[in-house]
Amino acid sequence: MYLKTQGLVLRVTEYRDSDAILSVLTREQGLMTFKARGVRSRRSQIKSACQLLAFSEFTVLERQEYYTVSEAVCIEMFQPMRNDIELLSLCSYFAQAAELLSQQDVNDGEVLSLTLNAIYALCKLKRPQPLVKAAFELRMMVIAGFQPMVDGCCVCGNDAPDRFDVAGGMAVCAKCSASGSLRLPISPACLAAMQHIVSCESKRVFSFNLLPEPLKELSDVSETYFLTQLERGFYTLDFYKSLRLTGQDLQPAAQ
Ligand SMILES: [Zn+2]
């Protein structure tokens, strides 16, 4: 039986001489595994549609619960990312996170939309990498059922809390927070950005601006919260951060 579906390629695993196994997050059926025959040979017609982070329309043949790609047409390959190793590595982190979360009991459709919107914000709208990364992580936590409580201090109700309690997933005042838990500082601008990210409509997740200092706070809070709640690290994130560090080393020193 043939099945037609659109999906984003989240992982490509080489298989045999010229085949590959694709992990594809599809619109209609969530995360699926496709076998792509001959896709690594130079003459393959489906090569570009089957590459990592391509958004494509697949026609697959289902046989005994295995799916083999028979046709694939690339809808969007996000070309700017293909020429920029830093951008590609950040998007690969998004892909690894999206694959992990769609294996769990979360809404795949929302995971797919957020991931596509994040890549679009980077590649087409040229939004800053730290802003997109932080908003992706925090919004993904909302989708995964770990919505942080940021309306006010969760202890006294004060509407200007200045700390984020990472384990509790809640904003608190410095004076209200229990000792022993990890609390990161948040300025009013950072708090406002967090409120926007967790409650805005899905199209507007990346539509905000922050000055460098509150953006640094947001980056710390989002990444720490994401990794703490998921209780794991990501090799794609480690690689991305190693590139960012090397990049900083290469900047000329300020006079
Ligand atoms: Zn308080």
Side-chain angles (χ1 to χ4, degrees):
M1 197 181 88
Y2 283 97
L3 172 84
K4 201 174 232 192
T5 186
Q6 292 185 348
L8 180 67
V9 180
L10 297 183
R11 189 154 50 95
V12 179
T13 310
E14 297 189 354
Y15 178 66
R16 292 193 181 143
D17 280 350
S18 62
D19 301 349
I21 306 291
L22 314 180
S23 251
V24 181
L25 185 53
T26 67
R27 270 203 204 287
E28 294 83 5
Q29 327 226 2
L31 192 64
M32 298 181 79
T33 302
F34 298 157
K35 187 190 279 184
R37 287 224 173 91
V39 74
R40 288 158 50 225
S41 84
R42 225 180 301 164
R43 284 168 303 162
S44 170
Q45 307 266 317
I46 57 170
K47 199 183 179 79
S48 68
C50 292
Q51 65 188 317
L52 180 68
L53 292 161
F55 182 65
S56 304
E57 180 162 273
F58 295 94
T59 305
V60 292
L61 176 65
E62 180 188 1
R63 196 173 285 156
Q64 292 163 347
E65 294 181 22
Y66 286 95
Y67 297 90
T68 306
V69 177
S70 92
E71 277 178 56
V73 179
C74 189
I75 298 168
E76 178 59 67
M77 61 189 290
F78 302 108
Q79 195 56 50
M81 167 182 80
R82 313 276 164 196
N83 309 322
D84 182 333
I85 177 86
E86 209 172 275
L87 214 49
L88 181 63
S89 70
L90 179 55
C91 294
S92 303
Y93 166 51
F94 294 165
Q96 196 190 356
E99 186 183 16
L100 174 82
L101 284 155
S102 38
Q103 285 163 346
Q104 300 174 0
D105 195 16
V106 300
N107 184 326
D108 318 295
E110 286 186 38
V111 172
L112 178 61
S113 290
L114 179 66
T115 308
L116 283 172
N117 288 344
I119 301 172
Y120 187 87
L122 289 169
C123 294
K124 305 273 176 173
L125 307 177
K126 311 285 180 200
R127 309 275 19 234
Q129 291 179 24
L131 184 149
V132 175
K133 174 177 172 291
F136 173 87
E137 290 165 335
L138 205 57
R139 184 71 175 207
M140 196 60 105
M141 288 291 86
V142 175
I143 296 172
F146 301 106
Q147 171 149 359
M149 291 173 284
V150 290
D151 284 341
C153 170
C154 287
V155 178
C156 73
N158 170 13
D159 60 8
D162 56 1
R163 296 286 185 276
F164 184 74
D165 180 319
V166 174
M170 56 190 185
V172 287
C173 323
K175 66 175 172 56
C176 288
S177 39
S179 58
S181 57
L182 174 61
R183 291 151 294 158
L184 298 173
I186 48 172
S187 59
C190 174
L191 178 69
M194 292 174 78
Q195 290 167 343
H196 168 84
I197 295 163
V198 302
S199 63
C200 69
E201 56 173 317
S202 57
K203 276 183 288 186
R204 300 192 39 81
V205 171
F206 306 102
S207 308
F208 64 97
N209 291 302
L210 269 186
L211 291 170
E213 218 153 287
L215 180 56
K216 172 78 174 64
E217 293 172 347
L218 179 68
S219 299
D220 289 345
V221 166
S222 294
E223 186 183 294
T224 310
Y225 186 56
F226 190 73
L227 300 179
T228 303
Q229 294 300 332
L230 295 178
E231 298 180 319
R232 58 165 291 160
F234 290 85
Y235 67 87
T236 45
L237 175 61
D238 296 338
F239 181 67
Y240 172 66
K241 287 165 86 169
S242 73
L243 289 178
R244 296 280 287 182
L245 274 178
T246 318
Q248 278 168 13
D249 289 346
L250 296 174
Q251 302 282 324
Q255 296 295 312

